[in-house]
Amino acid sequence: MIDVFDDTYFMRKALQEAEEAFERNEIPVGAVVVIDNRIIARAHNLTETLNDVTAHAEMQAITAAANFLGGKYLKGCTLYVTLEPCQMCAGALYWSQIDRIVYGAKDEHRGCGVMGTKLHPKTKMQGGVLQEEAADLMKRFFIQKRNLN
């Protein structure tokens, strides 16, 4: 049995959530929140399903994790998300005081890095974990969307 999982393991779990979003005709972004090597929240984009522009995978994961922990702060937690968080999600992650954010593909147009969004001073962020898989899923989704229209 594996005692310690690595970033790739948890990013694969986030990619499974992104695949679920893809199947639901949602932009394929998936997320998981982990504490002590245990997944406490899983989420994917639900903006179309809920008719809610704020229903990003990260927002859904923050809410689920906070409910699991019984508090609004995600100290000691890591968010694994398949796409670099946008400005809105980065703001929510700031307020959650999450310890670490690990993302797959960079969002060259709307990512928090491009927008210059500040994270909580104690939050660490790392990108590029399973970047190609995450980017390929996004590309497939938008190619399919273009071909259907």
Side-chain angles (χ1 to χ4, degrees):
M1 181 173 164
I2 300 173
D3 289 322
V4 178
F5 299 102
D6 65 4
D7 289 339
T8 303
Y9 174 83
F10 291 116
M11 188 60 73
R12 287 201 191 288
K13 298 299 183 185
L15 279 165
Q16 288 173 353
E17 288 296 319
E19 289 281 356
E20 177 69 26
F22 187 102
E23 295 302 318
R24 292 175 166 232
N25 205 30
E26 297 275 359
I27 294 176
V29 178
V32 297
V33 177
V34 175
I35 190 168
D36 296 328
N37 261 349
R38 180 175 170 209
I39 295 174
I40 61 168
R42 298 170 186 268
H44 54 270
N45 272 1
L46 291 171
T47 58
E48 300 298 325
T49 302
L50 299 177
N51 198 29
D52 179 356
V53 297
T54 69
H56 290 196
E58 300 95 324
M59 302 295 276
Q60 302 298 308
I62 291 167
T63 299
N67 286 337
F68 179 89
L69 294 171
K72 62 185 175 180
Y73 298 118
L74 303 183
K75 294 177 180 179
C77 294
T78 299
L79 170 76
Y80 292 87
V81 61
T82 58
L83 184 67
E84 177 185 11
C86 71
Q87 188 169 319
M88 173 186 70
C89 293
L93 288 161
Y94 178 100
W95 292 111
S96 78
Q97 298 182 23
I98 197 159
D99 280 13
R100 190 165 169 248
I101 302 165
V102 178
Y103 68 86
K106 187 157 191 62
D107 185 340
E108 300 290 341
H109 302 288
R110 293 178 192 86
C112 61
V114 173
M115 303 298 278
T117 308
K118 301 287 185 207
L119 296 172
H120 191 275
K122 293 181 181 177
T123 300
K124 307 271 187 281
M125 186 155 71
Q126 174 188 349
V129 176
L130 299 181
Q131 177 177 339
E132 287 182 26
E133 290 92 329
D136 286 347
L137 184 59
M138 257 327 185
K139 288 174 191 166
R140 277 193 298 129
F141 177 79
F142 285 108
I143 287 169
Q144 178 178 304
K145 280 293 223 192
R146 277 193 297 270
N147 290 338
L148 292 176
N149 291 331

